Amino acid sequence: MATVLVVDDEPIVREVVVRYLAREGHRTIEAADGDSARGAIESAGPDLVVLDLMLPGTDGLELCRWIRARSELPVIMLTARGEEADRIVGLELGADDYVTKPFSPRELAARVRSVLRRSTPASPRAERLTFGDVELERATREARKGGMDVRLTAKEFDLLWFLASHPRRVFSRDQLMASVWGYTAALDTGTVTVHVRRLREKVEANPSKPRYLETVWGVGYRLVA
């Protein structure tokens, strides 16, 4: 059972989300604004945050930035249709996933289940991948470049591990969504693009001219060891 913090200023939305998450066996905490959400994160230590972008006071983007500066706590954003720019900014800040309003509560519950599964550390085993001066430890979910620790979100680690596990193999954005996120995107694959861009900024010496994370134009991405 995981503890999920649901942050939304609409009581009806919180009620529906909490009800469906409770059916999944999760414990839930509610917050109607960003300031209350901060307090809940500090006092209750949730395992995941479902975060609406449009909040009174501290908005969702600012709260996401605050969370990511302090921890790798998984975040799923709730965004309204037409807020693509905010959604991209949220992913850039380190959100793990997003759901567009109006949304299916069953879909949100599935996204929560998927993100929690991938953010839970694997059982300890001696499994390591390396490419260039980058090292990945699966058991501890740690990454290092040139011997220095690199902070990756849960989804960034999953994506990098998946690509490093299949060197030189090209994957389309849809294939990566299915393999790493656990579902296929009906319309938008910007999630993959944003995560690849963030990974390049963290593991490439020159992100504008990547050595490892290559774009295969018209197809997708691959990792070249």
Side-chain angles (χ1 to χ4, degrees), residues 156-192:
E156 288 170 355
F157 184 92
D158 290 338
L159 177 57
L160 188 57
W161 181 272
F162 180 80
L163 290 172
S165 299
H166 305 84
R168 302 197 64 81
R169 181 175 170 183
V170 181
F171 293 93
S172 69
R173 292 171 179 82
D174 286 339
Q175 287 174 323
L176 291 172
M177 287 294 294
S179 298
V180 179
W181 277 260
Y183 52 84
T184 55
L187 296 174
D188 181 81
T189 52
T191 302
V192 174

Side-chain angles (χ1 to χ4, degrees), residues 126-139 142-148 152 157 160-168 203 211-213 223-225:
E127 197 166 9
R128 175 188 297 177
L129 291 176
T130 62
F131 56 92
D133 61 347
V134 179
E135 302 174 55
L136 302 176
E137 293 280 355
R138 185 171 190 174
E142 293 176 338
R144 287 178 293 277
K145 176 177 172 58
M148 303 294 290
L152 300 180
F157 184 92
L160 188 57
W161 181 272
F162 180 80
L163 290 172
S165 299
H166 305 84
R168 302 197 64 81
V203 304
R211 175 184 176 188
Y212 307 118
L213 292 167
L223 187 143
V224 180

Side-chain angles (χ1 to χ4, degrees), residues 11-206:
I12 294 178
V13 173
R14 294 200 308 274
E15 179 183 349
V16 171
V17 172
V18 164
R19 184 164 63 245
Y20 270 81
L21 292 179
R23 291 180 184 176
E24 292 279 314
H26 301 306
R27 174 175 174 258
T28 57
I29 309 169
E30 299 180 46
D33 56 68
D35 295 333
S36 299
R38 284 187 182 184
I41 291 170
E42 292 177 329
S43 62
D47 301 297
L48 181 144
V49 179
V50 175
L51 175 62
D52 185 29
L53 286 186
M54 302 299 292
L55 295 172
T58 302
D59 66 18
L61 292 178
E62 185 177 347
L63 182 59
C64 185
R65 184 181 294 108
W66 179 84
I67 292 172
R68 197 52 72 231
R70 289 160 175 76
S71 72
E72 302 306 317
L73 175 64
V75 176
I76 297 178
M77 298 184 305
L78 301 180
T79 69
R81 294 189 186 281
E83 292 179 346
E84 181 178 2
D86 284 343
R87 184 167 67 243
I88 295 299
V89 171
L91 291 171
E92 293 278 9
L93 289 175
D96 296 271
D97 203 351
Y98 70 88
V99 176
T100 303
K101 291 182 177 181
F103 58 87
S104 160
R106 292 178 62 185
E107 178 191 1
L108 176 59
R111 301 282 184 101
V112 168
R113 187 166 57 248
S114 177
V115 170
L116 283 172
R117 183 173 65 247
R118 286 166 172 77
S119 62
T120 302
S123 55
R125 45 185 167 163
E127 197 166 9
R128 175 188 297 177
L129 291 176
T130 62
F131 56 92
D133 61 347
V134 179
E135 302 174 55
L136 302 176
E137 293 280 355
R138 185 171 190 174
T140 58
R141 299 179 66 83
E142 293 176 338
R144 287 178 293 277
K145 176 177 172 58
M148 303 294 290
D149 289 339
V150 178
R151 290 188 61 182
L152 300 180
T153 67
K155 198 58 65 183
E156 288 170 355
F157 184 92
D158 290 338
L159 177 57
L160 188 57
W161 181 272
F162 180 80
L163 290 172
S165 299
H166 305 84
R168 302 197 64 81
R169 181 175 170 183
V170 181
F171 293 93
S172 69
R173 292 171 179 82
D174 286 339
Q175 287 174 323
L176 291 172
M177 287 294 294
S179 298
V180 179
W181 277 260
Y183 52 84
T184 55
L187 296 174
D188 181 81
T189 52
T191 302
V192 174
T193 303
V194 170
H195 279 73
V196 169
R197 185 186 311 141
R198 289 210 311 260
L199 282 173
R200 283 173 174 164
E201 292 172 352
K202 294 180 179 183
V203 304
E204 297 281 3
N206 184 352

